[in-house]
């Protein structure tokens, strides 16, 4: 296959995913986010590999973007309630310490179990839906009564069973690098950033209505 045909294949698959995207799950995630914000709860987010990098981007967006003026020239008044967003992937020191002491499967649950409450939202990202550290964290969140959102692909794995809302990115792929066990993973990671942007934009709209 020629390079231009591969590129068109990727874009064709992307359009099919967009057309079939589970909008109702994004809406449900937004509603949980709004409740967490209204109740003064905390958003905890986690993922592995490239997903952890995307969550660093999300941390910046969620913490700041909804709380600046429309022209980005100044922050909103300090009287406007902020959202507390905790990126569980954000500290190499913390993660390496938890892995060293408790093992990789408990690296996220150990950060959630002592702190999460029913006011909070735990967001989990796993391409397979079966990453042990993400699964254990969702189990810990459920025990704490926290709201849970997961995003995955394929059959959704264990995340689909555990999360209050599980967004499963639809489709399969023939594009190089995301076939076999890695099926649809590039599209999943693209969609993860898009969902985060949708949620941030919707939260900004919600905040602006209260200013």
């Amino acid at each position: 296959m020629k390079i231009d045909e591969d590129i068109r294949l990727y874009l064709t698959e992307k359009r099919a995913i967009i057309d079939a995207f589970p909008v109702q799950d994004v809406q449900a995630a937004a509603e949980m986010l709004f409740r967490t914000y209204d109740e003064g709860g905390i958003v905890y987010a986690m993922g592995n590999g490239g997903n952890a990098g995307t969550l660093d981007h999300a941390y910046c967006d969620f913490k700041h973007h909804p709380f600046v003026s429309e022209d980005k020239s100044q922050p909103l008044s300090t009287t406007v309630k902020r959202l507390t967003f905790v990126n569980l992937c954000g500290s190499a020191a913390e993660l390496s310490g938890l892995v060293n002491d408790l093992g990789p499967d408990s690296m996220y649950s150990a950060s959630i179990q002592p702190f999460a409450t029913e006011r909070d939202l735990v967001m989990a990202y796993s391409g397979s839906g079966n990453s042990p550290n993400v699964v254990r964290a969702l189990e810990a969140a459920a025990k704490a009564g926290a709201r849970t959102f997961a995003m995955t692909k394929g059959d959704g794995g264990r995340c689909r069973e555990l999360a209050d809302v599980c967004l499963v990115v639809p489709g399969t792929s023939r594009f190089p690098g995301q076939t076999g066990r890695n099926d649809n993973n590039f599209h999943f990671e693209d969609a993860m950033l898009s969902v985060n942007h949708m949620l941030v934009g919707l939260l900004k709209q919600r905040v602006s209505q209260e200013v």
Side-chain angles (χ1 to χ4, degrees):
M1 183 176 283
K2 296 180 180 179
I3 291 176
D4 65 327
E5 292 176 345
D6 278 335
I7 294 169
R8 290 191 181 93
L9 170 64
Y10 191 90
L11 296 173
T12 297
E13 291 176 350
K14 182 72 62 189
R15 282 190 289 270
I17 289 170
I18 291 171
D19 288 342
F21 209 75
V23 173
Q24 71 283 356
D25 291 333
V26 182
Q27 178 180 344
E31 290 169 350
M32 289 196 297
L33 175 64
F34 294 164
R35 287 184 61 192
T36 299
Y37 172 72
D38 291 344
E39 295 173 9
I42 298 171
V43 176
Y44 297 92
M46 79 206 83
N48 297 306
N51 300 335
T54 301
L55 286 176
D56 203 29
H57 181 152
Y59 165 77
C60 178
D61 284 354
F62 274 99
K63 184 173 182 179
H64 298 290
H65 189 70
F67 308 104
V68 297
S69 59
E70 200 62 39
D71 63 2
K72 302 179 79 170
S73 65
Q74 57 186 344
L76 299 182
S77 166
T78 55
T79 61
V80 177
K81 181 170 56 182
R82 265 46 177 183
L83 175 73
T84 301
F85 187 101
V86 176
N87 176 13
L88 297 176
C89 322
S91 169
E94 181 179 23
L95 290 181
S96 59
L98 289 169
V99 169
N100 186 61
D101 293 344
L102 303 175
D105 292 355
S106 298
M107 59 193 283
Y108 292 136
S109 59
S111 292
I112 288 175
Q113 193 167 8
F115 304 107
T117 72
E118 67 279 355
R119 297 181 302 163
D120 300 334
L121 171 62
V122 173
M123 305 176 75
Y125 299 86
S126 169
S128 68
N130 291 311
S131 301
N133 52 7
V134 170
V135 168
R136 286 195 182 182
L138 284 174
E139 291 172 340
K143 287 183 181 178
R147 306 172 186 99
T148 52
F149 168 74
M151 185 169 173
T152 182
K153 61 183 179 65
D155 64 7
R158 289 276 289 137
C159 284
R160 192 167 198 167
E161 303 169 18
L162 292 169
D164 294 328
V165 176
C166 184
L167 190 160
V168 179
V169 176
T172 188
S173 179
R174 295 186 293 111
F175 186 81
Q178 60 167 350
T179 58
R181 290 187 64 186
N182 205 38
D183 183 36
N184 221 34
N185 204 57
F186 294 163
H187 293 319
F188 164 76
E189 292 182 346
D190 291 349
M192 179 180 167
L193 184 57
S194 293
V195 168
N196 284 334
H197 281 157
M198 283 186 267
L199 293 176
V200 167
L202 291 168
L203 180 61
K204 182 174 179 61
Q205 182 181 58
R206 172 67 172 263
V207 171
S208 69
Q209 292 170 350
E210 298 182 1
V211 175

